[in-house]
Amino acid sequence: GSSTPKQAASSAQNGKKITIGFSVSTQNNPFFVTMAKSVEEQAKKDGITVKIVDAQNDPAKQANDITDLIESKVDVLLINPVDSAAVSNSVLAANKAKIPVITIDRSSDKGDVVAHIASDNVKGGEMAADFIVKKLGEKANVAELEGLPGASATRERGEGFHKIADQKLTVVAKQAADFDRSKGLTVSENMLQANPDIKAIFAQNDEMALGAISAAKSANKQILIVGFDGTADGLKAIQDGTLAATVAQQPDQMGQIAVETAIKIAKGEKVDNKIAVPLKLMTKD
Amino acid sequence: MNALKAKNIIREMGPLIGLILLFLVIAVLNDSFVEPSNLRNLLRQVSINALISFGMTFVILTGGIDLSVGSILALSSALMASFIVKGMNPEVAIFTAVIIGTFLGAVNGIVIAYGKVAPFIATLATMTIYRGLTLVYTNGNPISGLSDDPIFTGFGQGYMAGIPVPAVIMLITFFILFFILRKTPLGRQTYAVGGNEKVSYIAGIKINMVKIFAYAITGCLCAVAGAILTSRLNSAQPTAGLGYELDAIAAVVLGGTSLAGGKGRIVGSLIGALIIGTLNNGLNILNVSSFYQQVVKGIVILLAVLMDRKKS
Amino acid sequence: MNALKAKNIIREMGPLIGLILLFLVIAVLNDSFVEPSNLRNLLRQVSINALISFGMTFVILTGGIDLSVGSILALSSALMASFIVKGMNPEVAIFTAVIIGTFLGAVNGIVIAYGKVAPFIATLATMTIYRGLTLVYTNGNPISGLSDDPIFTGFGQGYMAGIPVPAVIMLITFFILFFILRKTPLGRQTYAVGGNEKVSYIAGIKINMVKIFAYAITGCLCAVAGAILTSRLNSAQPTAGLGYELDAIAAVVLGGTSLAGGKGRIVGSLIGALIIGTLNNGLNILNVSSFYQQVVKGIVILLAVLMDRKKS
Amino acid sequence: MDINLTGISKAFGQNEVLKGVNFHLRSGEIHALMGENGAGKSTLMNILTGIHKADSGTITVDGKPVQFRNNRDAEEHGIAFIHQELNIWPNLSVLENLFLMRQVKNRFGWIDFKKMKRLAQEECQNIGITLPLEKEMGLCSVGQQQMTEIVRNLMLDAKVVIMDEPTAALTERETDKLFDVMHRLKEKGVSIIYISHRMEEVFHQCDTITVMRDGHTISTRPTEETGMGQVVMDMVGRTISEYYPARTVIPGEEVLKVEGFSQPGVFKDVSFTLRRGEILGVAGLMGAGRTEIMRALFGVDPHESGTITLRGKKVEIHTPRDAIADGFGFITENRKTEGLIIDFSILRNISLPSESGLCSHGFCIDSHKEEKFSAELAEKLGVKAESIQLPAGMLSGGNQQKVVIAKWVGIKPSILILDEPTRGIDVGAKRDIYDLMNELTSKGVSIIMVSSELPEVIGMSDRVMVVHEGRIAGIVDRREATQERIMTMATGGQ
Ligand SMILES: Nc1ncnc2c1ncn2[C@@H]1O[C@H](COP(=O)(O)OP(=O)(O)OP(=O)(O)O)[C@@H](O)[C@H]1O
Ligand SMILES: Nc1ncnc2c1ncn2[C@@H]1O[C@H](COP(=O)(O)OP(=O)(O)OP(=O)(O)O)[C@@H](O)[C@H]1O
Ligand SMILES: [Mg+2]
Ligand SMILES: [Mg+2]
């Protein structure tokens, strides 16, 4: 289905410049930085105004941010939720203010969302595990670098990975490195120390994977490392052959699609309710 | 004497003047800032930090500090949410969570008072412990699917006489605590302990009790803030409250309370929380880029304290 | 007299005994912990926090605190990386970054000394400002594609006589600072300012200079730590150093230095950093679940301070 | 109330401070407790009031054995204790300091500040003093702080009042007020334990004198049956022939000239000169601003106008550092907050301003040299301590004062400002300090001595400068200086 609230549509048709508000979960992560940047660039290209607010990974701050955006009467609200459950009330509030909502990357548990643009984190975790199985065969020893404990990406990517890995691989170590490259490095060093027979590492984002690469290098070990996100540094590492694969999320596409969808909505055009941005397993070949 | 009083008043007005200036600047730059609906938002947004900083004021007045506020908030909110999910009456669950928060705060106080551990390190430790327990308890997952009970949802989202309920709670708490600090022996002893612990001990003040009270009340208020947050988000987040300690401490210090203990006022903390809240709200409304927001926020805090620097 | 000395020694050994206990426990639980390769890792991992906590020791001895360490690390490391990318000779870039770090630290010191702002709030403000500037400068992206220059890569990754270069830097720095604190008037004055600022002022000590020095040396060491990190990761991260202030302060306090200022030893901070590093390394090696890790870490820190509680 | 302490022993670590002390207080008497610095007087009183626990011995009150838990417990049993080291809350107002432990509440159970203020004013009127009730305690002068402590304790309606050197920070007038009150209390049957190092006071006011030395009770005698010589003999184990040593130094040329020194609201148009080897006494009432003038002169506080001429050369002093560079030394009146770093060892406290001079190889401190330096000074001043490695905070009040003096003598100043230098110091040590002053002046050091003890000012000064409400009321030569003359000038009379 699709919907186009009349208010927003009419204001756009009156010739007033369209303003969209974008609440992004964090800017402390290149993935979301890329997403925010592509939103900004696309908006510039299309000649519309965009207000970007950064929730700094805090759902409460996001709730505040969104009320502030509603307050400044944006035409369309783009939300990249910190957490699907926590964002629900904000979406409901936007519904009440008759501002159409688009969610990106993570969904909202409640409320009317005109369009949801995402790639599936759980699916991505599965893809990573499948890749390792394909490369190393079943029962290979793998280690997992988790993101920030309690964060939704941590949960979903881990869930997908374990769906496959618990059956077909041997997960010998699993430690949090908070999506941070330097923590990824030290934690990998320590995991490799304790388990010299690790054959592969799945890192829940590219930053940690890059840390793991440094660790493998300094331990002089050949290890299959798989990342997630497909950031610029991650892709470069694939070119260099140090990173075996990354589950690329294409945040720039997400941003572009989101802005285009928002404009359509503001102009009263129909849009799809679910827009999937495909995940791509990037490897050297 | 009169000149002294006038000087005192001006000094005490410092933070308020800062707040008013900030308010005016943002209002001039964007009129939607002063719309009633935004002011209501502002109050609601401020309430959580304000409640925590009220507690923090007590702690800082005794010469302590509490870094574990965010973790207490998260743990009590997770427990509350799971009670509700398990079918407990939401009001009872809120009440229970507040008791738990008070207890967690009291644990801080006991470690500090009887264990004689420096407050910074004691609460740094409990900060990680309580956060870890929250993650263990929730398994890292948010708890959602909470009640639709109107009292529960109203707790964070409702209005009373046009004022958001969280703001009402904040104001009522403020008046109670203001009164305790000003007019009761316990309040005066809070100042005394922070001013000179040794003398207070010799004089027969139960300094351990005063300290434990300060941390317990902080824990209690964190749980109240947690309940508001849970109701607003209609879910409990294991990562809720990360970094809240810094905002609370900033609010208290912006309000003119000395980190050395013994000197300060809770009105100041309210104003401090309003400054921080106004800044966050205003920077969003003015659409300042999130990278620059941090720079601006830091500079404004610095200016506000410099304006008011003679204390400390 | 001798009994007093013996008591003092035991008290001063407190943190060391804690470290040894921790070491033994982990070694018993998993033998790969004591392998030379892991000890080398451990030293390398510890070096960054240790360097920062050496600086923090000076700051805390003056009665201050520095929350901006992580942001200084990030900003100086981002600038360094961009200089290298722009073609500057890596060694010159490291040197320049260290100068910049020292300058950023000195800014803290100046705000605190001349602006008479409480250190906590001053560095809380600069923490956000410096972090914001880092994000603005890097646009939120890591800077990679740095040099393959062996001196540069060796800075973080190399070995000298079988010891990781970062650990060598840490040890050399340690001895220099140890000497400064123990043997030079500047070091003594650092203690005096923290012990009683007024008395020090009347005794003719340039308290502002002493304070600025403490913050500047901290900034300098943050930049050195940043250079090590950049070399290890072969890239600069805008989010580098988040939360490092807490680890550094914990190391200093675990080492027995009083947050009230005037009392403490830099050896203690080294031991404190080793305790925290050992804990992190050990918990990873023992593959403790990340949720429980936090709980365990908090409890160990608490126990370590309780063992050593009589000071503060 | 009749209090009997028998066989009280107490050791701090290995330092045996009290070794079986006996002390008997009868009801309605003023009982002086005397002894050298560090004899254990304060410790004994701390034990009586429950602040410290005795290792052995018994305390009986009206025949019943007691053991107080803390000060408050003692207060509730009718024993008030005015401490030597002022026990104040610097962050609270004078009024709150008076009432913190016994707050007056209204019928709702709230604190009734108005009523407390009224009560405080009444009490002050009774005694005949005024206190700035609203002022923050930390901003008050030591004298005002001391008076507040006294008033607070008097309001307890105690049956026993212990006064540990109450007059150390008071001037003549306040001291007289205090004596009036003491006698009024005595008439009401209150007993008073009075600790002081001032002989005249003790002999005029007290009924009985107990002398302690090295943790033992040496003697307890009614005042009529003893004399100053005897008491001094009991205290220090030797006779001290004369109270004030003869001044033999003949002042030389003028070294310091201060002209038109002013700071609005604090002091105005202060002009005086100081000659080489001279001791200039400074007298005045509490709050006259003597301390303020000295602080400004040393650069601790600002001054707005005026010139300082040192040996014919104009100098600018804006920080203590400037003053030290110009050869000034300054012994502050408040040793606890401005004189000592309590946690530092005696050694480090003494060497603090001299550190840069104790360096070998240019920049590193020579610890042997430092130790020798401090040890010599500590010895010279007769600091009584087990070891100079001990924290200064562990010393008795008088010994702390000696450490402060040692510190400043150590920088070899050419002009030494002493603000209440003998506050809390025993007769023997006082004499040592006077001798030291003479020795310093004979070596050409000039001294400015602010003191509230008129006999001391008259006994030791070459000239006496009297300060009244921030102005110089006059400067009189030693030969013309009488107590009456100085008091008249100090109170604004001609
Ligand atoms: N808390 C303490 N810890 C260790 N030693 C102490 C402590 N309090 C007092 N002393 C020691 O006990 C001795 C007696 O001190 P006390 O204060 O009783 O002397 P005093 O007779 O009151 O001297 P003064 O006339 O100088 O006030 C001193 O040597 C002092 O160093
Ligand atoms: N730190 C301070 N801040 C503000 N006012 C002060 C301070 N110290 C003293 N005063 C005020 O300055 C005036 C003079 O102080 P003070 O009583 O110290 O003078 P004094 O002549 O040295 O007397 P004495 O030495 O006998 O106490 C008083 O009114 C006092 O309250
Ligand atoms: Mg004494
Ligand atoms: Mg004075």
Side-chain angles (χ1 to χ4, degrees):
Chain A
S2 59
S3 66
T4 47
K6 290 204 178 68
Q7 226 182 10
S10 61
S11 79
Q13 280 152 0
N14 289 346
K16 204 184 114 200
K17 202 173 175 189
I18 299 172
T19 305
I20 60 177
F22 178 31
S23 167
V24 64
S25 60
T26 175
Q27 290 288 277
N28 273 349
N29 181 331
F31 176 79
F32 296 102
V33 172
T34 311
M35 183 192 287
K37 220 190 300 161
S38 76
V39 166
E40 213 172 349
E41 276 163 10
Q42 187 64 32
K44 211 187 250 165
K45 223 186 270 167
D46 294 335
I48 63 164
T49 316
V50 62
K51 289 187 172 184
I52 303 181
V53 288
D54 170 12
Q56 291 167 4
N57 259 332
D58 177 358
K61 180 159 191 314
Q62 185 158 48
N64 294 343
D65 288 347
I66 295 173
T67 33
D68 292 343
L69 289 174
I70 295 174
E71 197 53 46
S72 56
K73 306 210 171 54
V74 293
D75 297 310
V76 185
L77 204 47
L78 288 183
I79 303 177
N80 160 228
V82 175
D83 184 89
S84 303
V87 83
S88 303
N89 280 337
S90 300
V91 173
L92 290 171
N95 292 157
K96 219 163 128 198
K98 302 226 163 39
I99 297 176
V101 176
I102 301 173
T103 51
I104 318 178
D105 188 45
R106 294 178 198 125
S107 60
S108 165
D109 285 356
K110 282 189 197 155
D112 287 333
V113 174
V114 186
H116 176 57
I117 301 163
S119 38
D120 187 347
N121 271 321
V122 180
K123 183 80 203 313
E126 290 175 23
M127 284 161 72
D130 281 331
F131 175 79
I132 296 173
V133 175
K134 200 177 89 195
K135 283 278 171 189
L136 300 179
E138 298 209 353
K139 297 288 161 242
N141 285 338
V142 295
E144 183 188 12
L145 282 175
E146 301 175 283
L148 192 72
S152 67
T154 307
R155 281 192 312 270
E156 290 160 10
R157 292 171 191 182
E159 185 191 326
F161 177 73
H162 280 277
K163 238 187 226 173
I164 307 291
D166 285 352
Q167 258 124 61
K168 299 191 178 163
L169 296 166
T170 316
V171 183
V172 292
K174 182 176 102 163
Q175 292 281 290
D178 304 353
F179 292 128
D180 179 78
R181 196 185 292 194
S182 61
K183 283 200 184 122
L185 166 58
T186 47
V187 172
S188 312
E189 275 176 353
N190 298 339
M191 289 197 310
L192 290 173
Q193 182 67 40
N195 309 283
D197 50 351
I198 288 175
K199 293 284 176 290
I201 294 177
F202 166 56
Q204 290 181 355
N205 78 347
D206 282 349
E207 287 292 302
M208 294 190 291
L210 292 163
I213 290 169
S214 303
K217 197 173 137 205
S218 73
N220 255 330
K221 284 200 163 124
Q222 274 299 315
I223 289 171
L224 185 84
I225 295 167
V226 179
F228 206 112
D229 282 351
T231 59
D233 277 7
L235 296 176
K236 190 170 162 291
I238 288 180
Q239 286 313 309
D240 297 345
T242 48
L243 184 62
T246 181
V247 182
Q249 280 225 68
Q250 317 187 61
D252 47 341
Q253 272 204 37
M254 285 187 187
Q256 274 172 24
I257 296 174
V259 173
E260 282 162 3
T261 315
I263 294 171
K264 280 188 193 162
I265 293 172
K267 288 186 176 155
E269 292 168 28
K270 275 192 164 188
V271 296
D272 285 339
N273 200 286
K274 269 216 165 83
I275 304 168
V277 179
L279 287 168
K280 227 161 70 191
L281 189 78
M282 309 290 285
T283 56
K284 195 163 186 185
D285 18 71
Chain B
M1 201 62 229
N2 261 338
L4 197 98
K5 244 184 188 159
K7 216 172 121 193
N8 258 339
I9 288 174
I10 288 179
R11 233 178 52 171
E12 293 185 349
M13 298 295 270
L16 188 59
I17 295 170
L19 175 63
I20 293 171
L21 272 180
L22 187 65
F23 220 83
L24 290 179
V25 170
I26 301 174
V28 165
L29 293 174
N30 190 324
D31 4 300
S32 67
F33 176 70
V34 283
E35 279 173 23
S37 57
N38 189 52
L39 297 181
R40 272 201 294 270
N41 278 343
L42 181 60
L43 275 181
R44 187 165 345 98
Q45 292 169 7
V46 156
S47 59
I48 288 176
N49 183 26
L51 282 169
I52 298 175
S53 35
F54 294 161
M56 194 67 88
T57 311
F58 276 79
V59 166
I60 290 180
L61 278 177
T62 67
I65 201 150
D66 190 348
L67 302 180
S68 71
V69 287
S71 300
I72 293 184
L73 183 150
L75 183 50
S76 62
S77 133
L79 290 166
M80 179 180 83
S82 84
F83 296 154
I84 296 180
V85 169
K86 283 178 189 144
M88 191 188 270
N89 173 312
E91 288 93 83
V92 179
I94 292 179
F95 183 75
T96 316
V98 171
I99 300 287
I100 291 170
T102 312
F103 169 76
L104 296 174
V107 169
N108 283 337
I110 289 167
V111 171
I112 290 161
Y114 290 102
K116 304 218 186 315
V117 178
F120 193 98
I121 199 79
T123 56
L124 180 63
T126 54
M127 169 170 98
T128 46
I129 295 174
Y130 294 160
R131 178 69 60 191
L133 291 177
T134 313
L135 289 166
V136 170
Y137 185 78
T138 61
N139 220 334
N141 291 316
I143 301 175
S144 50
L146 305 186
S147 160
D148 286 337
D149 178 288
I151 298 195
F152 174 69
T153 53
F155 203 71
Q157 306 170 31
Y159 291 88
M160 255 168 110
I163 302 169
V165 174
V168 173
I169 296 174
M170 167 184 90
L171 290 174
I172 293 174
T173 313
F174 169 75
F175 284 113
I176 295 173
L177 297 180
F178 179 85
F179 177 81
I180 291 182
L181 270 183
R182 276 290 273 268
K183 289 282 183 183
T184 69
L186 181 62
R188 302 322 295 170
Q189 291 175 1
T190 304
Y191 281 92
V193 168
N196 193 334
E197 193 169 318
K198 209 163 153 199
V199 170
S200 302
Y201 176 73
I202 291 175
I205 293 178
K206 293 180 179 154
I207 49 171
N208 287 347
M209 277 340 231
V210 172
K211 285 185 186 176
I212 293 171
F213 173 78
Y215 289 91
I217 193 99
T218 305
C220 168
L221 293 173
C222 290
V224 174
I228 292 175
L229 192 64
T230 315
S231 159
R232 279 195 76 191
L233 302 175
N234 208 27
S235 74
Q237 304 287 321
T239 54
L242 271 178
Y244 280 19
E245 66 283 0
L246 293 182
D247 269 352
I249 296 168
V252 173
V253 177
L254 279 178
T257 296
S258 154
L259 280 169
K263 276 189 214 174
R265 289 146 71 246
I266 199 165
V267 196
S269 304
L270 178 61
I271 295 172
L274 282 169
I275 291 178
I276 291 176
T278 305
L279 205 51
N280 284 333
N281 177 288
L283 290 172
N284 279 345
I285 288 207
L286 298 177
N287 197 24
V288 176
S289 122
S290 65
F291 297 162
Y292 282 103
Q293 272 198 20
Q294 300 204 32
V295 180
V296 175
K297 212 171 139 181
I299 291 174
V300 172
I301 290 180
L302 212 50
L303 287 180
V305 207
L306 273 172
M307 262 178 43
D308 192 47
R309 74 184 158 197
K310 276 288 138 72
K311 313 170 206 179
S312 95
Chain C
M1 198 58 232
N2 262 336
L4 197 97
K5 247 185 184 157
K7 217 172 123 192
N8 258 339
I9 289 175
I10 288 180
R11 237 178 51 171
E12 292 186 347
M13 298 294 271
L16 188 59
I17 295 170
L19 175 62
I20 293 171
L21 272 179
L22 187 65
F23 220 84
L24 290 179
V25 170
I26 300 173
V28 166
L29 293 174
N30 190 323
D31 1 300
S32 66
F33 176 70
V34 283
E35 278 171 23
S37 60
N38 190 50
L39 297 182
R40 272 201 293 271
N41 275 346
L42 181 60
L43 275 181
R44 193 170 333 100
Q45 291 168 7
V46 157
S47 60
I48 288 175
N49 183 25
L51 282 169
I52 299 175
S53 33
F54 294 161
M56 193 67 87
T57 311
F58 276 78
V59 166
I60 290 180
L61 279 177
T62 66
I65 201 150
D66 189 348
L67 301 181
S68 71
V69 287
S71 301
I72 293 183
L73 184 150
L75 184 50
S76 62
S77 129
L79 290 168
M80 180 179 84
S82 84
F83 294 155
I84 295 178
V85 168
K86 283 178 190 146
M88 191 188 271
N89 173 312
E91 288 95 80
V92 179
I94 291 179
F95 183 75
T96 316
V98 170
I99 301 287
I100 291 170
T102 311
F103 170 77
L104 295 174
V107 169
N108 283 337
I110 290 166
V111 170
I112 290 161
Y114 290 101
K116 304 221 187 314
V117 178
F120 194 99
I121 199 80
T123 56
L124 180 63
T126 55
M127 168 170 98
T128 46
I129 294 174
Y130 295 160
R131 177 69 62 191
L133 290 176
T134 312
L135 289 167
V136 169
Y137 186 77
T138 61
N139 224 329
N141 287 316
I143 301 175
S144 47
L146 305 187
S147 162
D148 286 336
D149 178 288
I151 298 195
F152 174 69
T153 53
F155 203 71
Q157 304 171 28
Y159 290 88
M160 256 168 108
I163 302 171
V165 174
V168 174
I169 296 174
M170 166 183 91
L171 290 174
I172 293 174
T173 313
F174 169 75
F175 284 114
I176 295 173
L177 296 180
F178 179 84
F179 177 81
I180 291 182
L181 269 184
R182 277 288 274 267
K183 287 285 177 187
T184 67
L186 181 63
R188 295 300 196 74
Q189 292 172 359
T190 305
Y191 281 94
V193 168
N196 189 329
E197 205 170 307
K198 226 167 172 180
V199 173
S200 306
Y201 179 66
I202 293 175
I205 292 173
K206 291 180 178 161
I207 49 173
N208 287 347
M209 278 319 180
V210 171
K211 285 185 188 176
I212 293 170
F213 173 78
Y215 289 91
I217 193 100
T218 305
C220 166
L221 293 173
C222 290
V224 174
I228 292 175
L229 193 63
T230 314
S231 157
R232 285 195 73 192
L233 300 173
N234 209 28
S235 79
Q237 306 289 314
T239 56
L242 270 180
Y244 280 19
E245 67 283 0
L246 293 182
D247 270 351
I249 296 168
V252 174
V253 177
L254 278 178
T257 296
S258 154
L259 281 169
K263 272 192 235 172
R265 290 146 70 246
I266 199 167
V267 197
S269 305
L270 178 61
I271 295 172
L274 282 168
I275 291 179
I276 291 175
T278 305
L279 204 52
N280 284 333
N281 177 291
L283 289 172
N284 281 338
I285 287 207
L286 299 176
N287 199 25
V288 175
S289 128
S290 57
F291 298 163
Y292 282 102
Q293 269 194 27
Q294 303 205 30
V295 180
V296 175
K297 215 170 138 179
I299 291 176
V300 172
I301 290 180
L302 211 49
L303 286 180
V305 209
L306 273 173
M307 262 179 40
D308 193 46
R309 73 180 159 203
K310 276 288 139 69
K311 315 169 205 180
S312 98
Chain D
M1 202 186 262
D2 179 289
I3 294 179
N4 213 340
L5 295 124
T6 34
I8 303 286
S9 297
K10 172 76 185 174
F12 292 107
Q14 286 182 322
N15 182 11
E16 281 183 63
V17 176
L18 300 178
K19 304 159 188 162
V21 173
N22 301 317
F23 182 81
H24 183 207
L25 177 73
R26 289 188 197 81
S27 77
E29 72 168 349
I30 302 182
H31 193 142
L33 182 57
M34 301 197 67
E36 276 184 297
N37 295 130
K41 306 178 293 293
S42 301
T43 306
L44 187 67
M45 294 302 111
N46 282 335
I47 285 170
L48 170 58
T49 52
I51 292 164
H52 290 323
K53 299 250 166 328
D55 299 334
S56 63
T58 53
I59 306 171
T60 58
V61 170
D62 292 334
K64 281 195 283 295
V66 292
Q67 171 70 267
F68 300 120
R69 284 190 314 268
N70 54 34
N71 212 23
R72 190 185 188 182
D73 196 16
E75 280 174 12
E76 277 161 6
H77 286 80
I79 303 178
F81 185 5
I82 301 166
H83 290 261
Q84 176 180 22
E85 301 299 326
L86 291 175
N87 280 350
I88 56 154
W89 288 281
N91 56 323
L92 299 178
S93 69
V94 170
L95 181 67
E96 283 212 73
N97 266 278
L98 290 173
F99 283 97
L100 193 79
M101 295 316 292
R102 319 177 306 126
Q103 258 133 357
V104 180
K105 294 179 197 156
N106 64 13
R107 64 202 149 91
F108 307 113
W110 311 348
I111 298 175
D112 189 341
F113 286 105
K114 284 214 186 81
K115 188 163 172 205
M116 291 193 327
K117 193 167 173 186
R118 216 168 47 237
L119 288 174
Q121 277 163 342
E122 275 167 23
E123 186 68 29
C124 286
Q125 247 162 28
N126 265 342
I127 304 169
I129 56 157
T130 51
L131 284 175
L133 293 176
E134 308 280 352
K135 196 169 173 179
E136 208 173 284
M137 196 70 163
L139 299 178
C140 293
S141 67
V142 184
Q144 287 169 330
Q145 294 177 356
Q146 179 72 67
M147 240 20 236
T148 309
E149 271 272 279
I150 293 170
V151 172
R152 185 177 80 80
N153 279 281
L154 293 181
M155 284 193 310
L156 293 172
D157 283 327
K159 295 194 199 65
V160 173
V161 181
I162 303 167
M163 300 183 177
D164 196 350
E165 301 191 31
T167 56
L170 300 183
T171 47
E172 223 78 2
R173 201 162 63 170
E174 279 71 32
T175 306
D176 288 342
K177 297 267 160 59
L178 180 68
F179 293 153
D180 286 348
V181 176
M182 280 166 57
H183 287 283
R184 254 185 286 156
L185 289 176
K186 182 183 161 183
E187 277 157 29
K188 282 199 287 180
V190 174
S191 8
I192 293 170
I193 300 176
Y194 189 80
I195 300 177
S196 175
H197 291 294
R198 296 185 181 176
M199 287 292 170
E200 298 92 339
E201 284 177 2
V202 167
F203 276 87
H204 279 118
Q205 313 302 333
C206 301
D207 306 314
T208 316
I209 300 175
T210 292
V211 179
M212 287 175 65
R213 186 167 83 221
D214 291 335
H216 295 283
T217 322
I218 301 295
S219 63
T220 300
R221 295 194 187 91
T223 311
E224 313 82 75
E225 291 171 24
T226 182
M228 291 199 191
Q230 177 68 52
V231 169
V232 171
M233 176 71 199
D234 288 347
M235 275 171 71
V236 295
R238 63 186 158 111
T239 50
I240 293 177
S241 50
E242 266 202 88
Y243 235 52
Y244 300 103
R247 291 276 302 139
T248 53
V249 184
I250 296 156
E253 76 283 2
E254 180 184 301
V255 287
L256 175 73
K257 187 170 182 178
V258 176
E259 283 171 301
F261 209 54
S262 300
Q263 172 71 14
V266 187
F267 53 84
K268 199 164 184 300
D269 211 13
V270 172
S271 305
F272 65 92
T273 59
L274 184 66
R275 299 198 293 172
R276 187 184 148 91
E278 184 185 32
I279 297 179
L280 175 68
V282 182
L285 298 181
M286 176 171 85
R290 295 164 300 167
T291 298
E292 277 61 27
I293 296 170
M294 296 309 144
R295 288 170 67 89
L297 186 58
F298 195 72
V300 183
D301 289 345
H303 64 271
E304 201 182 78
S305 54
T307 57
I308 303 167
T309 315
L310 206 59
R311 291 182 203 87
K313 237 177 63 199
K314 270 201 186 132
V315 293
E316 291 287 330
I317 296 178
H318 296 294
T319 64
R321 216 179 149 73
D322 298 340
I324 292 169
D326 287 331
F328 284 84
F330 183 32
I331 290 146
T332 47
E333 71 176 334
N334 192 339
R335 62 173 167 259
K336 220 175 175 181
T337 59
E338 298 182 332
L340 286 175
I341 302 181
I342 294 294
D343 293 329
F344 268 31
S345 64
I346 298 167
L347 191 161
R348 298 274 292 270
N349 265 296
I350 293 179
S351 66
L352 186 69
S354 312
E355 266 165 2
S356 33
L358 293 167
C359 292
S360 55
H361 328 298
F363 65 97
C364 101
I365 291 174
D366 182 337
S367 28
H368 291 293
K369 208 162 142 189
E370 185 188 18
E371 194 165 339
K372 198 162 148 255
F373 173 82
S374 295
E376 273 171 10
L377 280 163
E379 163 130 23
K380 186 167 180 181
L381 271 293
V383 175
K384 202 174 154 198
E386 252 184 291
S387 149
I388 57 169
Q389 304 284 356
L390 286 175
M394 274 194 198
L395 292 177
S396 75
N399 279 304
Q400 289 182 4
Q401 182 71 12
K402 292 181 199 166
V403 173
V404 180
I405 297 177
K407 171 170 100 170
W408 286 107
V409 169
I411 66 162
K412 303 208 167 54
S414 61
I415 297 173
L416 189 59
I417 305 170
L418 301 142
D419 196 353
E420 311 286 0
T422 60
R423 171 176 292 171
I425 281 193
D426 68 55
V427 269
K430 252 184 202 170
R431 178 61 199 249
D432 292 345
I433 289 175
Y434 298 145
D435 286 338
L436 179 80
M437 286 167 68
N438 271 341
E439 186 194 323
L440 288 172
T441 47
S442 72
K443 286 183 190 154
V445 177
S446 312
I447 289 178
I448 302 174
M449 178 183 69
V450 177
S451 171
S452 299
E453 256 186 276
L454 278 185
E456 174 176 285
V457 175
I458 294 167
M460 284 306 296
S461 313
D462 296 314
R463 287 182 301 149
V464 180
M465 175 165 94
V466 187
V467 180
H468 171 62
E469 291 183 351
R471 291 166 186 269
I472 305 296
I475 299 179
V476 289
D477 201 78
R478 148 174 225 167
R479 281 166 307 233
E480 297 150 29
T482 59
Q483 297 221 12
E484 293 72 32
R485 177 129 190 240
I486 292 173
M487 277 317 281
T488 331
M489 287 163 75
T491 47
Q494 287 312 307

